[in-house]
Amino acid sequence: MRGFHHVELWVVDLVRAGAEWGWLLEQIGFEADDAWADGCSWRAGEAYLTICSAPALHGASHDRRLPGLNHLAFHGGSRTQVDALMAAAEAHGWRTLYGDRYPHAGGPDHYAGWLENSDGFKAEVVAGP
C-alpha cells in the first residue's frame, strides 16, 4: 500500500474549521465520515483527513511559514471543476492566494488554485491534465 493513511489537523475553532474544510473536501470528492465532541473526519477511499480541537492544543493560530506543514495539495478534477471551486471558495471561508497569477502560479504547465482558510491553513487544488 502507498499514499497517506490519514492527515490530522489541530484547530482552535472546530465549528468554523469544520465548515471550511468540509466544504472544500466535499468539493473534491471526500465524504463526511465521522464526528465526535472534539473532531470530525472526511474520507476519500482508504485515506482520510481529520480535524480536532484537542485539549493538548497550544497557541491560537497556525503559521504555514514556520517549520512544519506549509500546505496540503489535492487533486481537484478538471480545469472547469477547479475554476468553479476557486470561484466559490471565498463564500465558504477560504481566501484566494496568488490570484494575480491564477491558474499558473506554480508555472505555465501547472494548473492550480491556492487557498488559505481562517486558521491560516493553505490548500492547493490541482487540475488534472
Side-chain angles (χ1 to χ4, degrees):
M1 298 206 105
R2 296 189 180 189
F4 287 107
H5 183 271
H6 73 278
V7 172
E8 182 173 316
L9 302 176
W10 284 18
V11 299
V12 173
D13 185 330
L14 183 62
V15 173
R16 183 187 66 222
E20 292 172 359
W21 280 107
W23 174 81
L24 177 64
L25 293 168
E26 290 168 14
Q27 294 299 302
I28 58 175
F30 283 70
E31 296 180 2
D33 185 51
D34 199 5
W36 57 98
D38 295 327
C40 50
S41 65
W42 295 264
R43 179 175 294 278
E46 294 297 315
Y48 63 94
L49 187 139
T50 296
I51 60 170
C52 297
S53 184
L57 184 68
H58 294 277
S61 65
H62 168 74
D63 187 339
R64 61 186 169 79
R65 290 164 293 253
L66 292 174
L69 177 72
N70 177 264
H71 71 281
L72 296 172
F74 299 98
H75 293 286
S78 69
R79 290 178 175 201
T80 301
Q81 289 170 306
V82 170
D83 290 342
L85 182 146
M86 293 300 293
E90 289 195 24
H92 298 278
W94 292 89
R95 181 174 68 90
T96 301
L97 299 173
Y98 323 123
D100 59 327
R101 295 180 282 154
Y102 177 77
H104 298 291
D109 298 325
H110 187 69
Y111 197 102
W114 282 265
L115 301 166
E116 183 177 56
N117 77 352
S118 299
D119 290 316
F121 286 100
K122 180 175 154 184
E124 178 182 357
V125 183
V126 182

